[in-house]
């Protein structure tokens, strides 16, 4: 078991409080490490270190292409340690090992993508009049705070930190208290790079302490928050008091819309993967199946067959479905399953699974709930488990209405061979990403990602995310001889 430390101003540190938080393996409940319980004072130290680094000549003088090289060097380190990191992510989050590999590969790609982009963000010149040169530059915004959820730690830290450093900012990460392990490895790699002290900082601790202190700190210039709607609102309110912009990547209740004319094998594969990935503990999980009425019976029968074949077990055993993060999350999912027994119909799964030798983990059968009232909590709220709710539609407009009937708008899937229906829906669905005859596009590092409605605002991923971490300066120069 490891007693890990925070990283502030280029030094490894314990919390000033001296207190520690246990980190557990979700697959069996065993404690695998402890992290410092960071306080307001620790956060203050980290933000001050990041401010000092941001204002230092040492950081200012690092050229954009050199920042790119630093990010590429992190990608190299991630790649060199791919096996170790994938296992660590699987151990820490409970996700199947192949998912751990997919997450590490995505992290590598973020560092490569933003490493390559670091010297390609260009400005404009604006024609005003003869003798006046007007130009627009994008400057770094300052100290950027990155508050991260527990479900995809290495991916989510990498996606925003790489973009923030590419554009010349300094960084304070607040990792998730339940899953800090790969974030710690990443911190080691940053330490080994020999960056100016304070460019990269990592504080650990509870959200209501360290997270709240970071989002409300007056020395922070931008907050990237990924997590639940409720916390996102608190973070946005805290940042608003300092007139600081936030990027909010929040939850979802994403629909997969299945038409009778779909390619059935491709659709089954996509629909199953969209809900079982990370045991359904995914912001963009395809948690609502909207299926054309005439097609429902046959499709659901095949879906049930697939669900019955899925294997469940500890992350490192690399089954199809791993455990739920912890008892609290497990109880939440089971509450929804109990609700389904009262007001809908469970047509597959619905029970806890005990795994021999891993009795301390919380496992749930992949579950399908049919006959759900679209206004029910089952249809409206993020369940965050391997639980799919089913709805039927007769017409394309009915499908559209159902798709848009929640407060969320993160992702949607449309499965049809009819190009008219596909484009019609893609243009009218309230979601930041629409996938036609696929779901997720293999992670899509290059594609803007973020929510409509309560799924958040601002976009991560792709070139567009670089704008989160820059501010625009217009310079007008009058000249003449
Ligand atoms: P959460 O909101 O409980 O916590 C997220 C982070 O915020 C954690 O680091 C936590 O410590 C911190 N935090 C908690 N309270 C805080 C406060 N008052 N002030 C500042 N920080 C605080 O979310 P979670 O349970 O870790 O993650 C699951 C949620 O994240 C789901 O809703 C999921 O959909 C969402 N999510 C969204 C995306 C996306 O990119 N859109 C990706 C992954 C997860």
């Amino acid at each position: 078991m490891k007693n890990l430390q925070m990283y502030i101003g280029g030094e490894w540190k314990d919390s000033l409080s001296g207190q520690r938080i246990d980190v557990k393996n979700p697959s069996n409940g065993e404690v695998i490490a402890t992290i410092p319980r960071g306080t307001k004072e620790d956060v203050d130290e980290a933000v001050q270190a990041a401010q000092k680094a941001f204002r230092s000549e040492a950081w200012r003088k690092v050229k954009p292409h050199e920042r790119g090289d630093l990010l590429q060097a992190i990608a190299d380190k991630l790649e060199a340690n791919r096996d170790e990191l994938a296992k660590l992510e699987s151990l820490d989050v409970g996700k199947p090992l192949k998912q751990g590999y997919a997450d590490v590969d995505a992290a590598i790609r973020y560092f490569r993508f933003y490493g390559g982009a670091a010297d390609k963000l260009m400005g404009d010149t604006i024609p005003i009049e003869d003798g006046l040169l007007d130009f627009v530059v994008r400057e770094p915004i300052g100290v950027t705070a990155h508050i991260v959820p527990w479900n995809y730690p290495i991916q989510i830290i990498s996606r925003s930190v790489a973009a923030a450093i590419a554009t010349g900012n300094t960084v304070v990460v607040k990792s998730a208290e339940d899953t800090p392990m790969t974030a710690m490895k990443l911190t080691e790699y940053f330490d080994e790079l020999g960056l100016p002290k304070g460019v990269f900082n990592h504080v650990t601790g509870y959200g209501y302490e360290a997270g709240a202190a970071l989002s409300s700190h007056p020395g922070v210039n931008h907050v990237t928050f990924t997590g639940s709607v409720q916390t996102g609102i608190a973070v946005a309110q805290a940042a608003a008091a300092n007139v600081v912009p936030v990027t909010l990547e929040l939850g979802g209740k994403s629909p997969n819309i299945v038409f009778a004319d779909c390619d059935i094998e491709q659709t089954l594969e996509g629909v199953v993967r969209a809900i079982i990935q990370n045991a359904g503990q995914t912001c963009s999980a395809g948690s609502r199946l909207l299926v054309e009425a005439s097609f429902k019976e046959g499709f659901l029968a095949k879906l049930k067959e697939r669900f019955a074949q899925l294997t469940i077990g500890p992350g490192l055993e690399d089954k199809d479905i791993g455990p739920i993060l912890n008892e609290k999350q497990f109880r939440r999912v089971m509450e929804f399953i109990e609700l389904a027994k009262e007001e809908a119909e469970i047509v597959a799964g619905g029970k806890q699974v005990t795994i021999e030798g891993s009795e301390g983990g919380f496992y749930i059968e992949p579950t399908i709930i049919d006959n759900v009232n679209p206004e029910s909590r089952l249809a409206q709220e993020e369940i965050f488990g391997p639980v799919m709710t089913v709805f039927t539609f007769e017409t394309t407009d009915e499908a559209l209405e159902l798709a848009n009937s929640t407060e969320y708008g993160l992702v949607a899937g449309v499965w049809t061979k009819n190009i008219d229906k596909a484009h019609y829906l893609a243009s009218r669905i309230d979601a930041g990403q629409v996938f036609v005859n696929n779901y997720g596009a293999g992670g899509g590092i290059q594609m803007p990602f973020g929510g409509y409605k309560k799924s958040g605002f601002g976009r991560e991923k792709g070139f567009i995310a670089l704008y989160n971490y820059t501010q625009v300066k217009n310079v007008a120069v009058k000249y003449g001889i």
Side-chain angles (χ1 to χ4, degrees):
M1 202 192 60
K2 291 182 181 156
N3 293 318
L4 300 164
Q5 290 183 300
M6 300 188 285
Y7 187 71
I8 297 175
E11 311 284 338
W12 293 98
K13 293 197 170 177
D14 288 325
S15 155
L16 291 170
S17 75
Q19 294 184 9
R20 297 202 143 256
I21 301 171
D22 286 345
V23 179
K24 291 184 180 166
N25 171 358
S27 294
N28 60 17
E30 282 170 14
V31 176
I32 49 175
T34 71
I35 49 166
R37 178 174 169 176
T39 61
K40 202 172 167 190
E41 290 73 28
D42 298 309
V43 168
D44 183 51
E45 209 184 308
V47 174
Q48 288 201 35
Q51 272 294 352
K52 197 168 159 205
F54 183 66
R55 309 212 169 277
S56 71
E57 286 298 305
W59 185 232
R60 206 184 164 85
K61 290 272 186 288
V62 178
K63 295 172 186 156
H65 75 87
E66 292 169 342
R67 294 198 300 263
D69 291 345
L70 291 168
L71 296 174
Q72 298 285 2
I74 294 283
D76 292 344
K77 285 176 188 287
L78 289 166
E79 211 153 24
N81 295 287
R82 184 172 175 265
D83 290 333
E84 183 194 352
L85 289 164
K87 282 186 195 135
L88 198 57
E89 195 75 325
S90 167
L91 179 78
D92 197 21
V93 189
K95 55 182 63 185
L97 186 57
K98 57 178 132 0
Q99 177 71 52
Y101 274 103
D103 289 6
V104 174
D105 289 344
I108 295 168
R109 288 174 59 206
Y110 281 122
F111 281 101
R112 296 238 181 273
F113 181 86
Y114 290 114
D119 60 355
K120 294 170 190 68
L121 192 63
M122 298 176 196
D124 296 311
T125 55
I126 299 180
I128 307 280
E129 62 186 40
D130 184 39
L132 190 67
L133 173 64
D134 192 275
F135 61 93
V136 176
V137 281
R138 289 201 163 262
E139 298 188 337
I141 204 159
V143 174
T144 58
H146 305 253
I147 303 177
V148 179
W150 51 263
N151 58 349
Y152 287 82
I154 188 87
Q155 273 212 48
I156 290 175
I157 292 173
S158 301
R159 85 177 176 201
S160 65
V161 164
I165 292 190
T167 38
N169 298 278
T170 58
V171 162
V172 181
V173 171
K174 205 303 264 167
S175 53
E177 53 270 40
D178 294 295
T179 61
M181 304 297 283
T182 50
M184 285 292 172
K185 283 280 161 204
L186 189 63
T187 306
E188 279 176 29
Y189 305 153
F190 271 104
D191 181 46
E192 289 161 13
L193 277 192
L195 286 170
K197 287 184 191 318
V199 169
F200 179 91
N201 304 274
H202 176 183
V203 290
T204 55
Y206 292 119
Y208 64 88
E209 285 180 341
L214 186 58
S215 53
S216 61
H217 198 293
V220 165
N221 305 108
H222 178 275
V223 183
T224 291
F225 172 80
T226 309
S228 61
V229 173
Q230 197 189 359
T231 316
I233 292 170
V235 164
Q237 283 172 337
N242 296 318
V243 196
V244 161
V246 294
T247 303
L248 293 182
E249 290 286 358
L250 309 179
K253 189 76 179 173
S254 299
N256 255 319
I257 307 172
V258 174
F259 285 91
D261 65 1
C262 71
D263 174 326
I264 188 157
E265 282 308 309
Q266 184 191 45
T267 307
L268 280 166
E269 173 72 20
V271 164
V272 170
R273 257 195 298 117
I275 189 63
I276 65 160
Q277 183 171 313
N278 203 22
Q281 304 168 112
T282 301
C283 54
S284 54
S287 54
R288 288 187 299 144
L289 172 68
L290 280 43
V291 57
E292 190 165 355
S294 61
F295 191 59
K296 177 181 173 184
E297 202 182 321
F299 189 73
L300 213 51
K302 283 199 180 338
L303 202 58
K304 278 159 62 178
E305 267 172 37
R306 297 271 172 126
F307 267 47
Q309 288 159 9
L310 294 169
T311 55
I312 308 173
L316 288 170
E317 288 184 18
D318 208 14
K319 308 285 190 207
D320 297 312
I321 301 178
I324 300 297
L325 175 79
N326 57 25
E327 186 171 0
K328 187 174 158 222
Q329 293 292 336
F330 167 78
R331 291 201 179 289
R332 184 181 147 79
V333 178
M334 290 313 280
E335 253 177 54
F336 280 105
I337 288 178
E338 286 308 311
L339 182 63
K341 287 181 189 162
E342 282 166 32
E343 59 170 60
E345 191 188 348
I346 297 175
V347 296
K351 289 192 275 308
Q352 181 175 7
V353 177
T354 306
I355 305 284
E356 215 186 310
S358 297
E359 287 80 0
F362 295 93
Y363 298 85
I364 299 178
E365 288 176 340
T367 301
I368 304 176
I369 306 175
D370 195 6
N371 296 320
V372 181
N373 178 339
E375 280 164 23
S376 156
R377 286 182 58 214
L378 292 165
Q380 295 293 326
E381 293 182 24
E382 208 177 18
I383 297 177
F384 235 50
V387 180
M388 178 189 282
T389 47
V390 183
F391 308 83
T392 38
F393 63 86
E394 302 273 354
T395 65
T396 305
D397 277 325
E398 260 177 51
L400 178 64
E401 197 181 324
L402 275 171
N404 287 342
S405 68
T406 77
E407 290 192 319
Y408 291 107
L410 195 56
V411 164
V414 179
W415 303 85
T416 177
K417 286 188 188 145
N418 182 318
I419 195 167
D420 294 320
K421 277 191 267 184
H423 276 294
Y424 176 76
L425 286 173
S427 75
R428 290 179 191 225
I429 288 174
D430 298 330
Q433 288 190 332
V434 179
F435 296 102
V436 177
N437 296 327
N438 80 102
Y439 199 87
I445 303 307
Q446 306 90 330
M447 308 178 322
F449 178 69
Y452 277 36
K453 304 195 283 190
K454 291 224 168 106
S455 290
F457 53 76
R459 295 290 178 267
E460 291 291 347
K461 302 191 177 183
F463 210 74
I464 200 171
L466 295 169
Y467 299 138
N468 295 338
Y469 303 101
T470 54
Q471 50 195 337
V472 167
K473 182 180 279 174
N474 187 91
V475 181
V477 180
K478 187 110 178 129
Y479 62 90
I481 49 168

